[in-house]
């Protein structure tokens, strides 16, 4: 095995445990002992990764092979390699070595290892390893101009977490990766083919698509969008059977008495600013929203997770009702269009900004069709608001929630979708958007408390 290499990868254990690591305990030994123990833990971590132990705790990685391998050596270098019982390397070949580390890998106990030395370490051990994941690590090493890889980046790779520096390195090392590998996969089951379809529908980068395909887990399932859609359908069926009306339910005098509908006369009941999303004007609005929630919302939730997509959806819903309370003060509001338009506008904006990288079929035709359908739904809402086809006892639901949801999607939603597997907390732009949204919420709250009385708004009596 090579002992030195032109490029040297730097292994620096992270303090505080980001990516699964733990703070290294300081013993009573000297600096040389600490450096040797640190190097031993790093190499044992690599060994566990090579063995396919992707989801073990970092404590296991630190405990496996803490004693340095001394193949052909009677003693360790100094006292740095003492203190832990020797454990055989898992998955070793029958006639192979019983350890993945040896003193020559880091002769000066500096905590550095050459890139070529590491590559030799990988290829010299006959262990089952996903070629795609190995390609990721090789591309990560090649993407750095100085040939250095941080220990934390290795931990992020092992624990299935990625940072912006990781993505930049992968982008620079893209030449090392085979292209369109997912399309060449054969023998996939129905669900894995669906996962591949979702990857090509949502993600604009081939590296991201491959990463999602290999790292995807069925647990947790995309339950949020499915639960919201199912609840909306159940509520609609209940009110449809109760009122014996399936189209333009808002014209029925009993419909507005629902405790779920947002009505300006019931602004003090704060839950109505969210629960209106479960009520719909009729079958046409419910069908449109449910279709988009399942076709776009579920794939987005599969890729970006329940927390981010549920936050985006509910932010659009809340922004919709608050915008109506400010701009259309006399109008009630029903339907989940605020959340739906937040998801759709974010996805469409992400597709446009990454047009060359998106591999979804017929993307231009589908983009035009989506814009036509969304515009038609807004036009229908405007028509029902100002030109009701039937006599009504009060103003009809407002259309402003559609526009508010679209603004939330283009701003906050686009930032979320462009930060796949990246931490939003580390992005200054994300905090600016959160501050802007929080300012809007605060303004809307004060508006609802004071403006209606100060402006003398003539709101219809609450049902």
């Amino acid at each position: 095995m090579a002992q030195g290499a032109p490029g040297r990868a730097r292994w620096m254990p992270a303090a505080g445990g980001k990516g699964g690591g733990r703070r290294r305990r300081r013993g009573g030994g000297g600096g040389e002992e600490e450096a040797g123990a640190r190097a031993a833990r790093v190499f044992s971590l690599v060994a566990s990764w090579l063995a396919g132990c992707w989801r073990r705790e970092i404590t296991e990685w630190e405990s496996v092979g803490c004693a340095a391998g001394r193949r052909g050596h009677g003693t360790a270098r100094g006292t740095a390699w003492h203190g832990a019982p020797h454990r055989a390397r898992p998955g070793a070949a029958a006639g192979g070595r019983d350890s993945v580390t040896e003193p020559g890998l880091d002769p000066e106990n500096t905590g550095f290892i050459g890139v070529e030395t590491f590559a030799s370490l990988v290829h010299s051990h006959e262990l089952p390893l996903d070629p795609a994941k190995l390609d990721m690590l090789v591309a990560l090493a090649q993407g750095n101009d100085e040939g250095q890889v941080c220990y934390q980046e290795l931990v992020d790779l092992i624990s299935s977490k990625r940072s912006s520096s990781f993505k930049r390195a992968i982008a620079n090392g893209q030449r090392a990766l085979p292209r369109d590998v997912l399309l060449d996969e054969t023998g996939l089951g129905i669900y894995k083919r669906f996962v591949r379809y979702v990857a090509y529908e949502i993600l604009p980068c081939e590296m991201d698509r491959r990463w999602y395909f290999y790292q995807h887990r069925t647990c947790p399932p995309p339950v949020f969008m499915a639960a919201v859609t199912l609840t909306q359908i159940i509520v609609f069926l209940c009110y449809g059977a109760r009122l014996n009306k399936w189209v333009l339910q808002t014209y029925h005098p009993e419909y507005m008495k629902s405790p779920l509908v947002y009505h300006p006369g019931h602004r003090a009941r704060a839950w109505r600013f969210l629960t209106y999303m479960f009520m719909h004007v009729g079958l046409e609005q419910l069908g449109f929203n449910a279709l988009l929630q399942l076709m776009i919302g579920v794939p987005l939730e599969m890729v970006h997770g329940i927390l981010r997509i549920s936050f985006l959806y509910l932010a659009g819903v809340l922004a919709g009702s608050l915008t109506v309370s400010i701009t259309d003060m006399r109008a009630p509001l029903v339907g989940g269009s605020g959340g739906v338009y937040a998801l759709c506008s974010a996805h469409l904006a992400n597709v446009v900004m990454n047009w060359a990288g998106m591999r979804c079929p017929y993307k231009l035709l589908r983009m035009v069709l989506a814009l036509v359908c969304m515009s038609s739904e807004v036009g229908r809402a405007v028509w029902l608001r100002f030109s009701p086809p039937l006599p009504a006892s009060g103003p009809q639901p407002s259309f402003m929630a559609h526009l508010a949801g679209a603004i939330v999607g283009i701003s906050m939603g686009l930032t979320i979708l462009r930060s796949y597997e990246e931490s939003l907390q580390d992005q200054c732009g994300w905090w600016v958007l959160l501050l802007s949204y929080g300012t809007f919420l605060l303004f809307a709250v004060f508006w609802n408390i004071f403006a209606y009385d100060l402006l003398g708004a003539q709101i219809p009596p609450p049902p």
Side-chain angles (χ1 to χ4, degrees):
M1 183 178 298
Q3 302 299 321
R8 301 177 65 84
R10 185 174 184 177
W11 311 102
M12 301 185 65
K18 182 180 179 180
R22 291 187 178 180
R23 186 182 301 272
R24 174 170 53 87
R25 296 182 179 178
R26 297 183 177 274
E32 182 180 2
E33 292 182 347
E34 292 184 271
R38 177 182 60 192
R41 283 194 295 270
V42 169
F43 292 124
S44 65
L45 178 63
V46 175
S48 297
W49 174 66
L50 291 175
C53 302
W54 287 83
R55 298 199 175 272
R56 290 184 181 177
E57 295 291 338
I58 199 68
T59 52
E60 290 186 43
W61 295 336
E62 291 177 348
S63 63
V64 175
C66 283
R70 297 185 292 274
R71 188 181 36 162
H73 297 269
T75 59
R77 295 182 66 258
T79 60
W81 307 101
H82 289 278
H86 176 73
R87 298 177 64 175
R89 175 176 56 85
R97 314 155 189 69
D98 61 354
S99 174
V100 296
T101 61
E102 54 182 313
L105 290 177
D106 187 17
E108 299 178 359
N109 285 338
T110 60
F112 291 78
I113 178 176
V115 171
E116 293 182 3
T117 303
F118 176 76
S120 176
L121 174 69
V122 171
H123 293 290
S124 62
H125 294 273
E126 300 176 2
L127 296 172
L129 182 64
D130 189 339
K133 294 173 182 176
L134 178 59
D135 288 339
M136 291 178 189
L137 188 58
V138 172
L140 178 61
Q142 292 182 351
N144 193 306
D145 295 335
E146 299 180 359
Q148 295 181 346
V149 180
C150 179
Y151 170 81
Q152 184 59 50
E153 291 174 339
L154 174 63
V155 173
D156 289 343
L157 177 65
I158 295 174
S159 58
S160 302
K161 295 181 180 179
R162 300 170 64 189
S163 61
S164 57
S165 61
F166 181 94
K167 296 191 70 174
R168 286 195 298 269
I170 289 295
N172 294 332
Q174 188 75 21
R175 61 186 181 276
L177 303 175
R179 304 178 69 87
D180 299 334
V181 64
L182 292 186
L183 296 179
D184 298 334
E185 289 280 354
T186 59
L188 299 177
I190 296 178
Y191 183 75
K192 291 300 291 184
R193 288 200 297 268
F194 176 68
V195 171
R196 181 173 62 181
Y197 164 80
V198 169
Y200 277 93
E201 284 290 315
I202 302 301
L203 297 172
C205 175
E206 181 65 24
M207 188 67 248
D208 287 338
R209 290 191 284 260
R210 292 180 56 194
W211 178 269
Y212 168 73
F213 180 80
Y214 289 114
Q215 296 296 326
H216 175 74
R217 298 293 183 269
T218 57
C219 185
V223 296
F224 175 77
M225 294 310 308
V228 168
T229 304
L230 181 61
T231 304
Q232 291 172 343
I233 294 175
I234 293 176
V235 171
F236 177 79
L237 293 177
C238 291
Y239 276 91
R242 176 185 173 185
L243 305 176
N244 195 24
K245 192 175 182 63
W246 305 96
V247 178
L248 300 178
Q249 291 183 346
T250 54
Y251 290 89
H252 197 286
E254 296 295 324
Y255 182 84
M256 289 299 174
K257 295 181 180 180
S258 170
L260 303 179
V261 174
Y262 166 78
H263 191 279
H266 291 305
R267 299 189 315 279
R269 302 174 182 178
W271 70 84
R272 291 176 178 256
F273 285 91
L274 285 176
T275 57
Y276 77 92
M277 70 180 183
F278 298 115
M279 305 290 291
H280 288 81
V281 173
L283 186 61
E284 69 286 351
Q285 185 187 26
L286 173 65
F288 180 79
N289 287 348
L291 183 65
L292 291 180
Q293 286 172 177
L294 295 178
M295 292 185 60
I296 297 180
V298 170
L300 286 176
E301 186 178 348
M302 290 178 61
V303 174
H304 296 281
I306 184 174
L307 293 180
R308 292 188 176 187
I309 298 305
S310 61
F311 175 81
L312 175 59
Y313 185 88
L314 295 178
V317 170
L318 184 58
S321 57
L322 292 175
T323 301
V324 169
S325 69
I326 296 173
T327 60
D328 200 357
M329 300 170 65
R330 300 183 68 251
L333 184 62
V334 296
S337 298
V340 170
Y341 274 65
L343 296 179
C344 293
S345 60
H347 178 58
L348 294 180
N350 190 42
V351 171
V352 171
M353 296 190 66
N354 299 278
W355 188 263
M358 298 300 296
R359 296 294 301 276
C360 49
Y362 309 108
K363 55 185 177 182
L364 180 59
L365 177 62
R366 294 165 62 182
M367 173 72 70
V368 173
L369 183 61
L371 292 177
V372 169
C373 292
M374 294 173 66
S375 301
S376 301
E377 172 62 17
V378 174
R380 186 195 66 86
V382 174
W383 171 62
L384 292 178
R385 173 67 180 91
F386 295 108
S387 299
L390 298 174
S393 58
Q396 290 301 295
S398 177
F399 60 91
M400 291 302 297
H402 299 72
L403 305 182
I407 294 175
V408 170
I410 294 175
S411 56
M412 296 177 64
L414 183 59
T415 302
I416 291 176
L417 299 193
R418 296 184 65 184
S419 303
Y420 170 66
E421 289 290 345
E422 293 184 30
S423 175
L424 291 172
Q425 291 82 354
D426 297 335
Q427 302 182 32
C428 179
W430 173 248
W431 290 107
V432 172
L433 291 173
L434 281 184
L435 179 62
S436 301
Y437 189 79
T439 303
F440 165 74
L441 293 183
L442 187 62
F443 170 79
V445 169
F446 279 97
W447 179 277
N448 279 272
I449 294 176
F450 302 108
Y452 278 75
D453 294 333
L454 293 177
L455 298 177
Q458 300 296 323
I459 61 176

